[in-house]
Amino acid sequence: MEDRLDQACAWIARLRSDAISDADRRAFASWMSGSPANRQAFDEMTELWGDLGALSHMPLDELYPESVPSSNSRAGSQPTPPSSTTRSDSTVSTGWNLPQWLLGGSAVAACLAVALWVGNEWLQQTPVQQQIYATAVGETRTLSLADGSQVQLNTNSELIVNFSRDERRTQLLRGEAFFDVARQTSRPFTVAAGEANIRVLGTQFNVERNPDNTRVSVTGGTVAVSEARTASGLQPESVKLTRNQKVSVSNSGLSEVGRTSADEALDWTRGQLVFDRTPLDEALEELNRYLKVPAAAAPNVGEQTLSGTFELTDPESTLAAIAAALDLDQDQSDPNLTLLSPKRN
């Protein structure tokens, strides 16, 4: 549909030209009659411009009846009956009668000149459609976006989606999300998440926003990851990730590119956590999304590595299993934090 809207704009520009020919009008008539979707695209553009108010002062119901926004396009609008002094009942348009109205070139050019001006104003303003999605602790959600992309939101996550004609922008405010992005080469898809900016055309990748960093894991295609901000006068660092690669971005910059897998990146979508020589600090960051009371590692054990698959149906039992696997104690003397530390002899 987006291509047809572009075609409708192109036809508006072409038809308002002083050099428009009968051949142009016939070609336009053929385009309009070639598909109901073409007619719908042209209707949508004129209705949109009418909504902006720039067509309301013109007598378009006389010059070009088809360009008037329909009564169904806005709540509360009322149809305006035709004036008997301007046209008779026999000339009231009840549909697209293209060959007849296209012959009236001067009237068409006049109204399309107005339509082109309104269209340019609309394109410059680049209207944005914004949605906000959030999940509670213990809840996951799958989103279908307007461009055909899908997003899976993990527990305790929040995502803002801003789509315009020029770009598809999203912002992960907290939590974790897996993106399966529909490919649109003319409209990039971007994700802002903490210290990371992510840009793709169409691919699959997972984003984890943590208190101290943002991790990006790619399961298909190519993803460009860059620093969101850097010291004054310096260019932000950036890297391109391909399938089964990951990187972490923090206020100290980009980490080294590491290896990952779909099993590791998407374990949470199956209700599991999969660790493969994962530092305990990093493992606890992931587990904390599900715990009622967060856990942390003591300074002298945070770098210990953990491997294994852990179920998320009972996060507290998972924490106990991790502590047992690394031979650590759970210090729960602070009601707001569980500290994993070496066992006392």
Side-chain angles (χ1 to χ4, degrees), residues 139-150:
E139 176 192 10
T140 60
R141 184 178 178 188
T142 299
L143 315 173
S144 296
L145 305 186
D147 66 335
S149 301
Q150 284 202 331

Side-chain angles (χ1 to χ4, degrees), residues 50-284:
D51 285 342
L52 292 176
L55 302 184
S56 59
H57 66 285
M58 297 293 292
L60 295 181
D61 56 338
E62 299 175 16
L63 295 176
Y64 183 22
E66 292 80 6
S67 71
V68 179
S70 67
S71 60
N72 294 329
S73 66
R74 295 176 302 279
S77 62
Q78 297 295 329
T80 303
S83 170
S84 60
T85 60
T86 56
R87 60 177 184 265
S88 66
D89 291 343
S90 62
T91 61
V92 174
S93 172
T94 58
W96 286 95
N97 192 4
L98 295 171
Q100 294 181 12
W101 69 259
L102 280 173
L103 293 177
S106 59
V108 174
C111 72
L112 287 178
V114 177
L116 179 67
W117 177 81
V118 179
N120 285 337
E121 290 294 308
W122 176 69
L123 289 174
Q124 290 172 9
Q125 293 172 2
T126 315
V128 174
Q129 298 176 338
Q130 183 180 89
Q131 291 88 29
I132 301 176
Y133 305 96
T135 56
V137 175
E139 176 192 10
T140 60
R141 184 178 178 188
T142 299
L143 315 173
S144 296
L145 305 186
D147 66 335
S149 301
Q150 284 202 331
V151 180
Q152 290 180 261
L153 276 186
N154 201 353
T155 177
N156 194 22
S157 301
E158 185 174 4
L159 180 73
I160 297 178
V161 177
N162 293 282
F163 279 8
S164 70
R165 285 179 57 83
D166 300 321
E167 60 183 350
R168 299 171 288 170
R169 293 187 293 111
T170 66
Q171 183 178 8
L172 186 63
L173 298 182
R174 69 176 190 274
E176 183 172 17
F178 174 68
F179 296 84
D180 187 352
V181 178
R183 186 172 186 83
Q184 291 186 5
T185 55
S186 61
R187 195 163 63 140
F189 191 105
T190 61
V191 183
E195 299 295 332
N197 283 335
I198 302 147
R199 181 182 175 92
V200 304
L201 297 178
T203 186
Q204 300 86 38
F205 59 99
N206 194 75
V207 181
E208 306 170 47
R209 181 168 180 180
N210 300 303
D212 298 324
N213 60 62
T214 298
R215 284 195 292 271
V216 182
S217 304
V218 179
T219 61
T222 302
V223 173
V225 181
S226 63
E227 294 177 284
R229 49 187 177 267
T230 186
S232 178
L234 298 178
Q235 288 291 332
E237 291 185 46
S238 63
V239 66
K240 284 190 176 180
L241 303 179
T242 58
R243 183 182 179 186
N244 292 338
Q245 288 186 325
K246 65 180 179 180
V247 75
S248 176
V249 189
S250 66
N251 56 13
S252 59
L254 294 172
S255 70
E256 294 292 328
V257 174
R259 299 295 300 173
T260 186
S261 66
D263 284 342
E264 181 182 5
L266 304 181
D267 51 4
W268 64 268
T269 65
R270 301 185 300 274
Q272 298 176 329
L273 289 179
V274 178
F275 301 123
D276 182 11
R277 297 185 298 276
T278 303
L280 178 58
D281 282 336
E282 184 176 323
L284 292 179

